[in-house]
Amino acid sequence: MPVSSFLQWLQDTGFSTALRDSTWAEPVIETIHVLTLTVFLGFTVLLDLRLLGVAMRHKPVSEIFGELNPPIIGAFLMMLTTGVLLFCGDPVAFYGTIFFRVKMIMLILALLNILIFSSTLGRRFSEWEQNPNTPAMAKLAAILSLVLWAAIIAAGRAIAYAVPPP
Ligand code: HEM
């Protein structure tokens, strides 16, 4: 089934119509999307600053990861769920905007960055985590993370300017 037919089918479902017709669904879901973003971003920035060797320099990296990963993962899953719900409310229009597409591509890149870090330096924490000054690859992963999440947020915000209110 081509993407456009799938999106049209989704748009015509009772679920999508109910989301669109509801006065409260979108503002409530979007508020949760943004509130969980604050939790996700706040803790992610802390992790990235440690990977850059800027903050909490004398704490072992795995200890910081152990403490911050649960709220980061929880907030991320909530953002994913609320994001999909927002999308379901108006799939044809959202998919039609460049900002939504760019946001999804950058989201994949940000997840790839996490995957690459976890399967390389993240497997060898004991070799470098006590050192206040982190390896160049850890710094690169942190910079990529900060840049990508900032760009994802900017693209998310821009969607509203490309999709006129119903
Ligand atoms: C997980 C990382 C994500 C971040 C950091 C993020 C961030 C944002 C931000 C900052 C906004 C703007 C909120 C506003 O204007 O009030 C937004 C809106 C939006 N997000 Fe996300 N988002 C994420 C995931 C997703 C996912 C996975 C989807 C869908 C598959 C999604 C779909 C949307 C849609 C459709 C809007 C526009 C809502 C509107 O303007 O009415 N988001 N996002």
Side-chain angles (χ1 to χ4, degrees):
M1 188 194 273
V3 178
S4 56
S5 314
F6 169 74
L7 293 175
Q8 194 54 58
W9 168 82
L10 180 60
Q11 177 124 349
D12 294 338
T13 59
F15 181 61
S16 175
T17 311
L19 282 172
R20 246 187 335 277
D21 290 348
S22 160
T23 310
W24 289 101
E26 197 195 337
V28 168
I29 297 167
E30 191 146 356
T31 302
I32 299 172
H33 200 57
V34 174
L35 282 179
T36 45
L37 166 62
T38 63
V39 175
F40 172 83
L41 193 74
F43 288 137
T44 299
V45 167
L46 276 183
L47 278 192
D48 288 338
L49 290 180
R50 175 62 183 98
L51 288 184
L52 278 173
V54 170
M56 298 182 286
R57 290 161 54 84
H58 298 285
K59 260 198 157 199
V61 178
S62 66
E63 200 178 297
I64 300 174
F65 271 56
E67 279 178 36
L68 298 188
N69 270 349
I72 287 179
I73 294 169
F76 181 78
L77 292 177
M78 200 63 169
M79 273 195 311
L80 218 57
T81 309
T82 48
V84 170
L85 285 174
L86 284 171
F87 180 76
C88 286
D90 206 353
V92 173
F94 284 133
Y95 189 76
T97 67
I98 183 72
F99 299 115
F100 178 79
R101 293 178 186 201
V102 168
K103 178 176 159 180
M104 290 302 118
I105 292 168
M106 289 191 298
L107 196 53
I108 292 168
L109 293 179
L111 293 177
L112 271 179
N113 185 38
I114 295 171
L115 205 71
I116 292 169
F117 175 81
S118 318
S119 55
T120 53
L121 278 183
R123 282 189 180 274
R124 295 183 266 118
F125 273 139
S126 56
E127 292 172 19
W128 58 277
E129 67 166 355
Q130 304 283 351
N131 196 340
N133 192 18
T134 48
M137 287 302 286
K139 291 192 173 80
L140 178 66
I143 290 170
L144 282 175
S145 164
L146 290 170
V147 170
L148 281 168
W149 290 117
I152 290 167
I153 291 165
R157 186 74 268 275
I159 296 171
Y161 298 98
V163 174

